[in-house]
Amino acid sequence: MSAVSPVPPGRPRATRPPRAVINDRLLSASDGPEGSTLLHEEVRHNLEHLWQYGGNRDGRTPGRRPDWIFIRPDFLLQQPGTDHAPGLARLVPARGLPLRLELFMLFDAQCRYNHAERVRVDRMFEEVEANAPIKSWQKVVLSDTNSDHREAGALRGRQVKEALRVLDKQHLVDIGPDKSRPGRRDLNRITLLSEASTPVSRPRYTVPKSGVYVSRHFFTSLWVFALTNTEIAVFLALSARRAAFPLAHTGGGVFVVQEHRRQFGLKDNTWRSARELHTYGLVDRVHDTERDTQTGRITDYGTRWKKHEVMPTRFTIIDSALEQPAVPTIDRVLNNPTPEDQWRQWFG
């Protein structure tokens, strides 16, 4: 048997579509024929409505309207004395919607429930009337269905179902039994478990009073669906560093060196997505003054390291940037960048 030829230098091993193609599919997705409301606009409207009214049946009574969505640190960081990776690290490699759906359900719960209240996942896969307070899964999730509009909603429903099964295997939701079919489970009977759940401990989810905080615009502007898994992971990791060191974040930025990276359990190549976050304007970064902004290399590294002069890149999260609609913003940055966008790419 002949040996497998190595991948030629410079040729990417992955077969994933280019970043611009991924966003183009989200930009053009629709559940109707040409000229219909675009899906990213419809989902954005529905999530804004969820934040405004919290699923109240009259659609007029204000909901909780949290400015910040809290995530328990155990979801992001490896805990001392445990041999299992945190939930974030377990979900990043999963294809499709699992990570996004997990984060969406935390947002959904915090828009609808107060501390210590029993959280219910009331969404169904069947179509509901236009003015229903709780929309179907297909109307609150943005994904690339890459299908004829007549099949788009059904395909997105299958993507959500597969994501729920992954979350069940990761001990983040519990899927109840199907009463009409013994031995089967009912995907309309979902119990949200704590994002800090483990194979040993699986408590039900309750709304936390504190934790790693993320602007509600991360959800209502659809960044949770527009960013890739690795981009989301790095954003949440930087958010965790900000929560732990707020004064450092305000004073010049937070950094993540190798010791910190191990705590998150993320692979080294995941951290490169910080470049994309900076390109989209979601974070500012301050390099070591001797670091080449294009290559990342540091002048006279060995000598400066011995003198303790090498400084890590520091990041500051720009919460106001999250207010911009994610899918059109990424499209502009990648396909029609403004002078400011170009400056960030070249010199930031």
Side-chain angles (χ1 to χ4, degrees), residues 123-270:
R123 298 190 187 280
M124 307 292 281
F125 288 94
E126 292 76 18
E127 288 290 335
V128 295
E129 61 272 20
N131 295 324
I134 305 296
K135 303 295 183 183
S136 68
W137 284 109
Q138 290 94 325
K139 296 302 181 182
V140 294
V141 169
L142 176 64
S143 68
D144 167 26
T145 55
N146 197 23
S147 172
D148 182 271
H149 71 85
R150 286 179 289 271
E151 301 292 333
L155 177 54
R156 197 161 59 259
R158 291 195 292 272
Q159 291 172 337
V160 172
K161 290 177 180 179
E162 180 56 33
L164 288 170
R165 293 187 182 100
V166 171
L167 295 177
D168 178 73
K169 292 179 181 178
Q170 295 297 335
H171 320 292
L172 295 168
V173 302
D174 182 69
I175 304 176
D178 189 331
K179 295 180 179 180
S180 64
R181 298 183 297 174
R184 304 289 293 273
R185 291 191 292 175
D186 186 351
L187 286 165
N188 281 322
R189 299 182 62 199
I190 301 296
T191 299
L192 181 61
L193 302 179
S194 169
E195 69 273 44
S197 292
T198 70
V200 178
S201 175
R202 293 161 49 96
R204 293 181 66 125
Y205 180 80
T206 56
V207 175
K209 294 182 179 180
S210 61
V212 176
Y213 53 97
V214 177
S215 168
R216 66 94 169 178
H217 294 286
F218 182 79
F219 301 90
T220 54
S221 295
L222 302 194
W223 292 99
V224 67
F225 294 119
L227 297 178
T228 66
N229 278 9
T230 56
E231 290 165 358
I232 292 172
V234 174
F235 184 83
L236 294 180
L238 293 176
S239 297
R241 296 292 291 167
R242 171 174 68 172
F245 301 98
L247 294 180
H249 181 269
T250 302
V254 293
F255 57 87
V256 186
V257 294
Q258 196 65 35
E259 177 186 354
H260 308 140
R261 293 183 178 189
R262 287 193 293 269
Q263 296 174 342
F264 292 101
L266 302 173
K267 294 183 178 180
D268 286 345
N269 62 353
T270 298

Side-chain angles (χ1 to χ4, degrees), residues 22-331:
I22 295 173
N23 199 71
D24 286 346
R25 292 174 178 173
L26 297 180
L27 189 68
S28 61
S30 175
D31 282 350
E34 186 175 354
S36 301
T37 300
L38 295 171
L39 185 62
H40 71 88
E41 295 175 350
E42 183 177 7
V43 172
R44 188 181 180 211
H45 170 79
N46 289 339
L47 295 199
E48 184 70 30
H49 190 277
L50 169 61
W51 180 82
Q52 290 266 1
Y53 303 106
N56 290 320
R57 293 197 171 277
D58 61 7
R60 295 187 300 272
T61 303
R64 295 189 67 231
R65 300 185 180 181
D67 289 328
W68 303 98
I69 303 303
F70 291 104
I71 303 172
R72 289 179 170 85
D74 289 19
F75 179 70
L76 308 174
L77 293 157
Q78 183 85 39
Q79 298 305 302
T82 61
D83 56 1
H84 55 268
L88 176 63
R90 300 199 307 270
L91 292 182
V92 168
R95 300 184 63 181
L97 291 172
L99 176 57
R100 297 165 179 79
L101 200 63
E102 168 68 14
L103 295 173
F104 165 75
M105 287 192 289
L106 303 186
F107 168 76
D108 184 22
Q110 293 183 39
C111 286
R112 297 198 290 133
Y113 294 97
N114 291 308
H115 308 302
E117 287 185 335
R118 182 182 179 185
V119 172
R120 295 173 55 88
V121 180
D122 299 317
R123 298 190 187 280
M124 307 292 281
F125 288 94
E126 292 76 18
E127 288 290 335
V128 295
E129 61 272 20
N131 295 324
I134 305 296
K135 303 295 183 183
S136 68
W137 284 109
Q138 290 94 325
K139 296 302 181 182
V140 294
V141 169
L142 176 64
S143 68
D144 167 26
T145 55
N146 197 23
S147 172
D148 182 271
H149 71 85
R150 286 179 289 271
E151 301 292 333
L155 177 54
R156 197 161 59 259
R158 291 195 292 272
Q159 291 172 337
V160 172
K161 290 177 180 179
E162 180 56 33
L164 288 170
R165 293 187 182 100
V166 171
L167 295 177
D168 178 73
K169 292 179 181 178
Q170 295 297 335
H171 320 292
L172 295 168
V173 302
D174 182 69
I175 304 176
D178 189 331
K179 295 180 179 180
S180 64
R181 298 183 297 174
R184 304 289 293 273
R185 291 191 292 175
D186 186 351
L187 286 165
N188 281 322
R189 299 182 62 199
I190 301 296
T191 299
L192 181 61
L193 302 179
S194 169
E195 69 273 44
S197 292
T198 70
V200 178
S201 175
R202 293 161 49 96
R204 293 181 66 125
Y205 180 80
T206 56
V207 175
K209 294 182 179 180
S210 61
V212 176
Y213 53 97
V214 177
S215 168
R216 66 94 169 178
H217 294 286
F218 182 79
F219 301 90
T220 54
S221 295
L222 302 194
W223 292 99
V224 67
F225 294 119
L227 297 178
T228 66
N229 278 9
T230 56
E231 290 165 358
I232 292 172
V234 174
F235 184 83
L236 294 180
L238 293 176
S239 297
R241 296 292 291 167
R242 171 174 68 172
F245 301 98
L247 294 180
H249 181 269
T250 302
V254 293
F255 57 87
V256 186
V257 294
Q258 196 65 35
E259 177 186 354
H260 308 140
R261 293 183 178 189
R262 287 193 293 269
Q263 296 174 342
F264 292 101
L266 302 173
K267 294 183 178 180
D268 286 345
N269 62 353
T270 298
W271 297 98
R272 297 173 189 154
S273 291
R275 299 174 186 173
E276 281 68 44
L277 297 179
H278 175 261
T279 297
Y280 307 147
L282 302 185
V283 301
D284 272 340
R285 63 183 181 185
V286 179
H287 284 300
D288 184 300
T289 55
E290 300 297 326
R291 186 189 298 268
D292 186 300
T293 59
Q294 296 297 312
T295 66
R297 294 174 181 170
I298 297 176
T299 304
D300 199 12
Y301 180 85
T303 302
R304 296 188 65 238
W305 175 263
K306 292 178 182 179
K307 295 181 179 180
H308 304 287
E309 294 178 349
V310 178
M311 297 297 295
T313 302
R314 295 177 179 269
F315 295 94
T316 304
I317 296 172
I318 308 174
D319 292 305
S320 61
L322 294 167
E323 298 176 24
Q324 301 301 313
V327 177
T329 297
I330 294 176
D331 176 66

